[in-house]
């Protein structure tokens, strides 16, 4: 039984409940106390604080600056700044003098863990399998029991890996998602010269390639759809896409134009970090010196349509701009992207919500979800509106700003000022 601050033994009541305790909801919960003395509770199925732990290979780096923590952008004096984490855990000088361009993901996980332990009412190891609406407001359920009641609901469910249909028939020991690579390595190491394919030209793909190189694999084929393995455009103007002024400009566009603009902005964020690309090229060159050939072959411009077990081999079929290709490998690591985690609304709530053509909830500019029968209750959805709010909604760059917009909307006053007046770009 979960106890709230009033130590009731019945189902506890909170002002707001959040499903998911990833960075999105952690930021909201961290800033919640600035808006009200009421309480917010978060529920997460993970056993404890963590962040994409299955992809936390040694040496992997963030794609965002350390200044983009849970709170600083709207409240730099908050107790849970990254700077305060560095000072209070004694790692300030060590991290500074290591002179990272971008910090290790492990450090961000440590920071999140440190912050999560200072935020009250986070319940781990709980899968919310149903959300209903009744006289008590929202009720979260898990395994047939009621976890909590609340006035408002915030969905911070994150994403899950996608396995394309054409890969679905592969036995797991031969084809698996990148999240499972670490667990498969012991079995694969028996033959490091066996060809291994990594499918997916994104950051998860390159990190899987680097992990395999680091483990001594010598025949890695890395497939990507784009015409080259594209790195993020980290130039100043590209970075201006990740600020409130740009999000505001997006809201002035028609939904169709906005969608197309957001897609064309992909290279500003949905690509590889330049540092990872350099590390791969250098590791590949070292491999060339050792082996007389590159251990990694980059295979851009390929749409891998299927992966099927034939005898001892996995056969990959790909389409290029002009022809079809086949490649035979021993193992396939699938890094083909992620999709939104399904929302566990019960049938009644599902019926009340307005769904867009893409099967997703419709998210307004204050991150509230459009639904019928609100009666004062609000549902907010974080990291679910990439096609209406832009790429920033799918990453960490504006977490505190988004949380501030939600809190301003929830409490119907300006709890935090969200201003961005010094933008040199007129987005039209
Ligand atoms: C490997 C990786 C690295 C990334 N690196 C960066 C980066 O450097 N910079 C950047 O800007 N973006 C990055 N991103 C993109 C994005 O910032 C992250 O995906 C980020 O985690 C999104 O935060 P979130 O809180 O929305 O979701 P998540 O971090 O995915 O958290 C969602 C949480 O909800 C829980 N959950 C889901 N459903 C339920 C349920 N029914 N019941 C209970 N709990 C549930 C999950 O257990 C999870 O903990 C990265 C993404 C990945 C996959």
């Amino acid at each position: 039984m979960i106890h709230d601050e009033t130590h009731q033994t019945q189902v506890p009541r909170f002002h707001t409940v959040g499903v998911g305790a990833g960075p999105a909801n952690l930021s909201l919960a961290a800033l919640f106390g600035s808006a009200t003395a009421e309480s917010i509770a978060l529920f997460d199925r993970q056993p404890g604080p963590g962040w994409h732990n299955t992809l936390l290979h040694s040496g992997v780096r963030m794609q965002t600056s350390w200044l983009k923590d849970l709170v600083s952008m709207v409240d730099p004096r908050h107790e849970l700044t990254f700077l305060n984490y560095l000072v209070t855990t004694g790692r300030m000088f060590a991290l500074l003098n290591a002179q990272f361009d971008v910090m290790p993901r492990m450090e961000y996980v440590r920071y999140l863990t440190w912050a999560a332990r200072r935020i009250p009412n986070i319940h781990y190891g709980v899968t919310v399998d149903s959300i209903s609406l009744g006289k008590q407001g929202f009720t979260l359920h898990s395994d047939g029991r009621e976890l909590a009641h609340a006035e408002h609901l915030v969905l911070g469910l994150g994403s899950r890996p996608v396995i394309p249909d054409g890969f679905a028939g592969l036995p797991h020991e031969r084809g698996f998602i990148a999240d499972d690579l670490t667990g498969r390595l012991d079995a694969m190491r028996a033959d490091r010269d066996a060809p291994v394919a990594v499918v997916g030209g994104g950051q998860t793909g390159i990190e899987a390639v680097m992990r395999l190189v680091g483990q001594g694999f010598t025949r890695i084929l890395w497939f990507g759809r784009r015409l080259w393995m594209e790195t993020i455009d980290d130039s100043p103007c590209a970075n201006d896409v990740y600020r409130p002024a740009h999000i505001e400009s997006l809201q002035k566009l028609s939904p169709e134009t906005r969608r197309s603009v957001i897609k064309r902005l992909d290279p500003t964020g949905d690509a590889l970090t330049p540092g990872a690309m350099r590390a791969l090229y250098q590791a590949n060159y070292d491999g060339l010196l050792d082996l007389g050939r590159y251990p990694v072959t980059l295979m851009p411009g390929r749409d891998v349509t299927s992966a099927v077990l034939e005898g001892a081999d996995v056969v990959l079929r790909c389409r290029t701009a002009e022809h079809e290709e086949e490649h035979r490998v021993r193992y396939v690591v699938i890094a083909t992207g992620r999709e939104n985690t399904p929302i566990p609304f019960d049938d009644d709530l599902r019926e009340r919500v307005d769904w867009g053509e893409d099967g997703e909830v419709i998210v307004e500019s204050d991150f509230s979800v459009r639904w019928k029968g609100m009666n004062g209750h609000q549902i907010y959805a974080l990291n679910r509106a990439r096609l209406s709010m832009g790429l920033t909604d799918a990453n960490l760059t504006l977490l505190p700003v988004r949380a501030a917009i939600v809190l301003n909307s929830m409490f119907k006053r300006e709890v935090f000022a969200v201003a961005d007046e010094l933008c040199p770009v007129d987005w039209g």
Side-chain angles (χ1 to χ4, degrees):
M1 177 57 69
I2 292 154
H3 296 267
D4 73 352
E5 288 156 348
T6 55
H7 303 288
Q8 290 169 344
T9 50
Q10 274 126 22
V11 179
R13 176 162 201 90
F14 300 95
H15 178 275
T16 299
V17 281
V19 186
N25 264 342
L26 281 181
S27 174
L28 184 84
L31 293 168
F32 197 83
S34 306
T36 177
E38 301 261 16
S39 54
I40 179 172
L42 305 184
F43 295 84
D44 199 299
R45 60 160 76 108
Q46 297 188 91
W51 183 59
H52 301 309
N53 287 357
T54 47
L55 294 168
L56 207 55
H57 310 300
S58 163
V60 290
R61 301 280 183 261
M62 294 297 290
Q63 293 191 314
T64 26
S65 152
W66 62 271
L67 275 170
K68 299 197 164 179
D69 63 15
L70 295 174
V71 292
S72 290
M73 286 211 164
V74 298
D75 187 359
R77 286 168 297 189
H78 195 285
E79 185 207 345
L80 299 183
T81 60
F82 185 71
L83 212 48
N84 196 26
Y85 156 75
L86 287 186
V87 174
T88 55
T89 59
R91 54 222 304 142
M92 180 68 167
F93 297 108
L95 187 78
L96 260 187
N97 293 350
Q99 298 187 353
F100 287 106
D101 295 330
V102 272
M103 68 169 161
R105 277 223 299 278
M106 181 73 86
E107 190 71 281
Y108 186 69
V109 175
R110 296 264 160 86
Y111 159 67
L112 288 182
T113 305
W114 171 88
R117 294 207 170 115
R118 283 159 179 76
I119 298 172
N121 293 321
I122 306 185
H123 306 283
Y124 290 102
V126 190
T127 298
V128 175
D129 49 37
S130 165
I131 307 170
S132 61
L133 178 76
K135 285 199 193 96
Q136 307 269 20
F138 295 104
T139 302
L140 304 186
H141 308 254
S142 182
D143 265 340
R145 80 201 155 96
E146 295 187 342
L147 295 170
H149 302 303
E151 294 298 311
H152 303 301
L153 168 70
V154 187
L155 303 166
L157 304 166
S159 58
R160 62 182 187 185
V162 175
I163 300 183
D165 290 345
F167 292 59
L170 276 182
H172 183 252
E173 66 277 13
R174 305 298 288 278
F176 42 85
I177 53 171
D179 294 70
D180 294 343
L181 175 60
T182 300
R184 295 289 314 142
L185 280 172
D186 278 349
M188 291 166 68
R189 262 190 224 108
D191 186 2
R192 290 177 219 217
D193 291 327
V196 184
V198 174
V199 182
Q203 189 66 18
T204 300
I206 197 172
E207 288 174 3
V209 170
M210 285 301 282
R211 185 77 199 271
L212 289 164
V213 173
Q215 294 290 312
F217 286 84
T218 67
R219 291 178 197 279
I220 303 158
L221 299 177
W222 180 29
F223 293 88
R225 267 206 194 111
R226 294 183 184 173
L227 291 178
W228 78 106
M229 300 308 196
E230 201 174 347
T231 48
I232 287 177
D233 182 344
D234 197 23
S235 63
C237 186
N239 272 299
D240 269 343
V241 166
Y242 295 85
R243 43 190 294 183
H246 185 261
I247 298 178
E248 210 174 289
S249 77
L250 284 175
Q251 301 315 307
K252 294 182 203 146
L253 304 174
S254 70
E256 297 73 42
T257 312
R258 188 162 56 216
R259 226 168 284 154
S260 121
V261 166
I262 290 169
K263 271 198 177 310
R264 282 159 54 209
L265 288 167
D266 252 6
T268 61
D270 197 358
L272 305 163
T273 43
M277 201 57 174
R278 259 194 314 277
L280 170 61
Y281 264 71
Q282 288 172 7
N284 218 15
Y285 196 84
D286 282 338
L288 174 69
L289 296 174
D290 284 346
L291 303 166
R293 62 176 174 76
Y294 287 118
V296 183
T297 307
L298 283 70
M299 311 279 287
R302 265 74 165 196
D303 186 3
V304 183
T305 51
S306 69
V308 179
L309 192 62
E310 279 183 23
D313 298 333
V314 176
V315 178
L316 298 179
R317 296 204 167 80
C318 321
R319 259 196 305 265
T320 70
E322 294 231 299
H323 57 275
E324 309 249 315
E325 284 178 1
E326 241 184 54
H327 298 275
R328 290 181 173 266
V329 296
R330 182 79 54 86
Y331 304 103
V332 183
V333 183
I334 304 166
T336 48
R338 303 174 73 88
E339 63 185 6
N340 288 340
T341 306
I343 305 172
F345 287 142
D346 73 355
D347 290 344
D348 169 58
L349 206 40
R350 184 167 296 282
E351 192 65 20
R352 291 168 183 262
V353 168
D354 286 355
W355 299 90
E357 281 167 21
D358 56 355
E360 259 307 327
V361 290
I362 298 173
V363 178
E364 307 283 7
S365 56
D366 63 352
F367 298 95
S368 64
V369 169
R370 228 187 269 166
W371 63 295
K372 300 171 206 76
M374 296 172 157
N375 205 12
H377 301 298
Q378 292 276 19
I379 304 174
Y380 294 91
L382 310 178
N383 189 359
R384 270 199 119 83
R386 181 191 168 116
L387 288 179
S388 55
M389 306 300 282
L391 302 182
T392 33
D393 191 44
N395 66 32
L396 306 173
T397 51
L398 289 183
L399 282 185
V401 172
R402 185 176 57 190
I405 293 171
V406 169
L407 291 171
N408 290 350
S409 159
M410 191 182 274
F411 291 96
K412 297 185 174 51
R413 65 189 161 84
E414 193 181 76
V415 181
F416 294 100
V418 177
D420 184 16
E421 280 148 13
L422 288 179
C423 184
V425 187
D426 177 347
W427 294 105

